[in-house]
Amino acid sequence: MTLRIMAIDIQKIRGQFPTLVDASRRPYVFLDTAASSLTPRPVIEAMGRFYTDFRANVHRGMYTDSLRATEAYEAARSKVAGFIGAEAEEIVFTRGATESLNVAARGLAEGLGPGDEVVITIMEHHANLIPWQQLADRSGFTLRFLPLGEDFRLDMEAARQTIGPRTKVVAFMAVSNVLGTVNPTEELIALAKAQGAATVIDVAQAAGHLPLDVTSWDCDFLALSGHKMYGPTGIGILYGKRPRLEAMEPQTFGGDMILEVTKERSTWNRIPWKFEAGTPHIAGAIGLAAAIGFVEEIGIEEVVRAEERLAAHALERLQSVPGLRLYGPAGGVRGGALSFAVDDIHPHDMADLLSKQGICVRGGHHCAMPLMRELGIVGTTRASLGIYNTEQDIEDLIQAIHEAKRIFG
Ligand code: C6P
């Protein structure tokens, strides 16, 4: 079945998502894709087929179901590779972006010590901050932060000053989960490469929303989660450039990641399997491949266009609410995370009042506490967009915010 119609048919897309078509849920307006997207039927069905048709472990059995499971699992790896412009061997399945970022950070920190610097941004999710903090404490390297400049975007002048000869790693998010800011990925990679520094890109909020191409970016590592791009929870990937992965020691030990084991010592399997100890999330990988298929059916360019249009509309509508402060770029290229505060209503109260009206948003610090401190706030209310959202969803949100204001008024 093809979902590609002249302009995309959002109603048809919505029909693919069980929770959106379940009338018993109404009112139900889902605006929390940045936390975790909804899952379309093709993904649920692909995972179901694994459990009903060929449920077996991978890389172990010689019987048909095990061979089918292995084939589907490795085909999923190839699908992910194609989606981001990589080779299949460069795709390591993980539990999600958090695990991927931890693995990349530990691997890169191996060679770092006092005098070396790792540069991240002030808007990072804790998943791309705490691993570096911990490793800096142990290894003695310095962690430096790129600040915000105008309109909640990175201060690139400061980036040019900060990324220098001591910089060994530049690790940053492509799109902010709080501000919706789209960071200048190519420019940051160029600054890092000019200093011979490694690059780690957190695309948790970009995957499924923007085109990704590790070959043209020429980055060293990239991390994403399946559940934010219409895939299942508990699965993600770490992309690592082949020589990087080959040079990196495995961090988890056990079955499947070895070549030869004696009582005294062990040798490692080839990449990517040396990083996948134990039985993997087979259904998750299959589901992730189906999610990529779902996005590709629509067409990533169409996704970008639809989300940009809706984000522009949402910004305009939000800014029409008296007393609403927006935390994020007010226009231009941006992602679908729309953070705001209204009067002095606490973000948790706002999220709760919206929830009572059937609107699903997130309130709080969004795992970005240093950013909140920088902004001088405890948190925001965040509405975030996915491919299934409509102008009606935005209208319902605006009405619900007015109602919350009235209750607090
Ligand atoms: N952000 C949010 O509500 P995991 O939890 O491993 O799938 O993803 C972590 C992560 C890493 N980077 C970015 C930019 C993210 O947005 C997230 C997850 C969710 O904003 C849950 S805290």
Side-chain angles (χ1 to χ4, degrees), residues 323-327 339-345 347 350 377 379-381:
L324 185 144
R325 285 183 310 286
L326 184 73
Y327 292 98
S339 268
F340 57 89
V342 181
D343 301 332
D344 50 6
I345 306 175
M350 177 58 88
I377 54 178
T380 70
T381 305

Side-chain angles (χ1 to χ4, degrees), residues 95-119:
R95 287 188 295 133
T98 300
E99 186 181 23
S100 303
L101 291 164
N102 274 270
V103 170
R106 278 200 296 268
L108 284 167
E110 289 271 302
L112 304 186
D116 293 331
E117 294 181 354
V118 170
V119 175

Side-chain angles (χ1 to χ4, degrees), residues 118-124 143-149 153-163 170-172 188 191 374:
V118 170
V119 175
I120 65 172
T121 82
I122 193 64
M123 62 176 86
E124 290 315 305
L143 189 54
R144 300 194 65 187
F145 293 82
L146 301 182
L148 291 184
R153 298 183 192 277
L154 280 184
D155 179 344
M156 289 306 288
E157 190 44 47
R160 283 184 278 278
Q161 303 287 325
T162 308
I163 298 170
V170 179
F172 61 94
L188 287 166
L191 289 175
E374 194 74 5

Side-chain angles (χ1 to χ4, degrees), residues 34-35 97-98 125 173 177 202 204-205 225 227-228 362 367 382:
T98 300
H125 186 279
M173 49 174 35
N177 63 321
D202 172 2
Q205 295 293 343
S225 288
H227 71 98
K228 293 182 197 290
R362 183 175 171 189
C367 303
R382 182 191 67 187

Side-chain angles (χ1 to χ4, degrees), residues 66-89:
S66 181
L67 296 176
R68 269 187 80 186
T70 301
E71 202 177 296
Y73 182 68
E74 293 305 330
R77 195 189 306 280
S78 299
K79 186 80 180 170
V80 178
F83 183 62
I84 64 167
E87 299 294 327
E89 293 74 23

